[in-house]
Amino acid sequence: MLLTHATLATMSPASGTEGYGLIPDAAVVLEGERIAWAGPMADLPAGYRARPAQDCGHRLVTPGLIDCHTHAVFAGHRAVEFELRLKGASYEEVARAGGGILSTVTATRAASEDALLALALPRVDQLIASGATTIEVKSGYGLTVADELKMLRVARRIGQSRPVTVKTTHLAAHAIPPEFKGRSTAYIDEVALPSLRAAHAEGLVDAVDAFCETIAFTLEDLAPLFAEARALGLPVKLHAEQLTDQGGAAFAARHGALSADHLEYLSPEGIAAMAAAGTVAVILPGAFYTLRESQLPPIAALRAGGVPMAVATDFNPGSSPLASLTLAMNMACTLFRLTPEEALLGTTSHATRALGLTDRGRIAPGLRADLAIWDADHPAELSYRLGATPLHTRIFGGRLDA
Ligand code: DI6
Ligand code: FE
């Protein structure tokens, strides 16, 4: 396939002048699942010129977007909890009273694999409609060995049912279920570790995540889990410093984590550790917005420290019922003061790093041909629009998805 007359945001600064890597009148050659060539129309090699062309009409073409943090598999919803919070209850109070994550656990345990898949696909379709071509999906609402495996099987089946690439993350250490109340060590030993080993043996896990928080797990609880992940050759990531500073980001960085996510309460020590380890900061403005958080993540310090920032939806029924990556980008700009360029890097090349991928997220020869074609003429438009997604066409692995 040959795309002509594209306004190309390669996100590969080497081929352009800024972070967007903009090429105003560009062509892209796709061969099989890969990008064979990208550059100015005038430089298109003669050998490619005879191919049947798809004229982009100067529309913006970007890498397909990457949502590197979602909890898109779950049953039920938490609209009532939303209402309770608006009447004054805090997220922690709702969680401590047995609501919150645990109410989603009850609903998810009761649902079959087929039922969970049927619930997840429309959510994934909304993410695809906002430009996503790769999404990460976590477990973490099962909290038994069987139910964590069930969630991860559903996540894998999403990737077989839709053209998106799905990266799966084991998150059994998301909450302590009622039957283990006050016994977090026993939960790690009896559920988190065995479910990780079983899921890994079934080929269901691409990474291991956990929730480090006063209402969830301590670093002491998580040390054996991260050690096991690394023994299995799996990368780790961590929900860190979302509600309080637990030193989670520095702990994750010491374990070579791909990312530390949320980070509203991140300390200067955490930033330094992440910078040294190359750990990506995944910022999740949907959760900040939904919980009406007032503590901002330290964006300027992350920027100054050279920590790459990714932006994701955190799509989940409690703290972030947000199914649009472009709206997440808008929130990252308006609430956190990212530039639109940083927001787009955050859903393309930096998001790939948060998933440990090297074959996508930019437009360059050899990379996977996941592209988004937009009814837009400047990449800042993707962050600027509120609630409308100007997606025109998407290309998954070199195939046009009409
Ligand atoms: N932090 C979050 O924002 C999600 N998980 C987590 O550890 C929320 C999950 C939920 O409330 O259902
Ligand atoms: Fe999350």
Side-chain angles (χ1 to χ4, degrees):
M1 199 194 303
L2 168 65
L3 303 178
T4 57
H5 301 295
T7 302
L8 201 61
T10 63
M11 309 315 287
S12 233
S15 62
T17 48
E18 5 142 44
Y20 288 132
L22 269 184
I23 305 176
D25 189 28
V28 185
V29 180
L30 312 180
E31 269 176 356
E33 292 191 346
R34 305 273 146 192
I35 297 163
W37 189 89
M41 283 291 292
D43 299 347
L44 181 65
Y48 291 135
R49 283 176 193 267
R51 298 190 172 204
Q54 177 97 12
D55 188 334
C56 296
H58 297 284
R59 285 190 185 86
L60 174 70
V61 178
T62 68
L65 304 187
I66 290 152
D67 194 347
C68 67
H69 183 141
T70 88
H71 308 248
V73 174
F74 59 87
H77 65 76
R78 306 243 290 278
V80 174
E81 172 185 325
F82 173 65
E83 198 157 42
L84 281 176
R85 284 202 313 272
L86 286 168
K87 288 177 177 160
S90 73
Y91 183 76
E92 290 98 321
E93 280 162 6
V94 172
R96 288 209 169 90
I101 293 177
L102 293 180
S103 70
T104 301
V105 170
T106 305
T108 303
R109 284 179 177 177
S112 69
E113 209 179 292
D114 286 346
L116 286 173
L117 181 66
L119 289 166
L121 288 177
R123 300 173 191 140
V124 169
D125 288 339
Q126 290 174 327
L127 293 172
I128 291 172
S130 78
T133 52
T134 297
I135 62 173
E136 184 255 17
V137 179
K138 302 176 193 294
S139 67
Y141 292 122
L143 313 187
T144 67
V145 173
D147 290 307
E148 287 295 302
L149 288 169
K150 177 176 75 178
M151 287 191 69
L152 290 166
R153 286 191 201 109
V154 173
R156 278 281 188 257
R157 283 175 66 189
I158 293 171
Q160 291 149 12
S161 311
R162 292 293 185 269
V164 284
T165 302
V166 173
K167 296 292 277 182
T168 59
T169 301
H170 174 272
L171 177 61
H174 192 198
I176 300 162
E179 62 274 20
F180 283 93
K181 196 168 179 179
R183 298 190 299 127
S184 57
T185 312
Y187 175 77
I188 296 287
D189 287 345
E190 292 168 36
V191 178
L193 288 168
S195 64
L196 175 58
R197 291 186 195 111
H200 176 66
E202 248 189 77
L204 295 174
V205 191
D206 298 323
V208 177
D209 192 356
F211 187 22
C212 171
E213 193 50 67
T214 53
I215 55 169
F217 296 91
T218 64
L219 298 182
E220 212 180 351
D221 292 330
L222 297 177
L225 182 68
F226 275 20
E228 182 67 16
R230 299 191 73 191
L232 295 172
L234 292 169
V236 296
K237 39 180 59 228
L238 189 65
H239 283 69
E241 274 75 271
Q242 179 184 7
L243 308 169
T244 56
D245 179 13
Q246 300 289 315
F251 168 83
R254 282 199 299 279
H255 285 79
L258 291 174
S259 70
D261 303 39
H262 286 287
L263 305 174
E264 278 80 347
Y265 292 83
L266 181 62
S267 66
E269 295 73 30
I271 295 174
M274 290 175 71
T279 298
V280 175
V282 178
I283 58 166
L284 303 166
F288 175 94
Y289 169 86
T290 302
L291 300 181
R292 305 186 74 244
E293 179 59 68
S294 54
Q295 172 85 22
L296 286 160
I299 300 298
L302 285 164
R303 191 184 280 134
V307 178
M309 290 182 278
V311 177
T313 61
D314 194 18
F315 189 6
N316 76 70
S319 67
S320 191
L322 167 63
S324 167
L325 260 177
T326 47
L327 187 51
M329 289 161 66
N330 172 272
M331 288 177 172
C333 294
T334 302
L335 298 173
F336 294 169
R337 314 313 285 168
L338 261 70
T339 65
E341 186 176 284
E342 288 172 325
L344 188 55
L345 284 164
T347 54
T348 56
S349 69
H350 292 173
T352 53
R353 289 182 58 178
L355 293 179
L357 290 167
T358 52
D359 68 341
R360 64 193 70 194
R362 292 175 295 118
I363 297 176
L367 296 187
R368 187 177 159 82
D370 283 348
L371 304 175
I373 305 177
W374 307 88
D375 279 316
D377 58 33
H378 193 279
E381 280 184 74
L382 304 185
S383 293
Y384 152 80
R385 288 175 197 275
L386 250 177
T389 299
L391 187 66
H392 180 264
T393 316
R394 54 218 168 202
I395 296 174
F396 294 98
R399 283 171 189 268
L400 208 62
D401 188 70

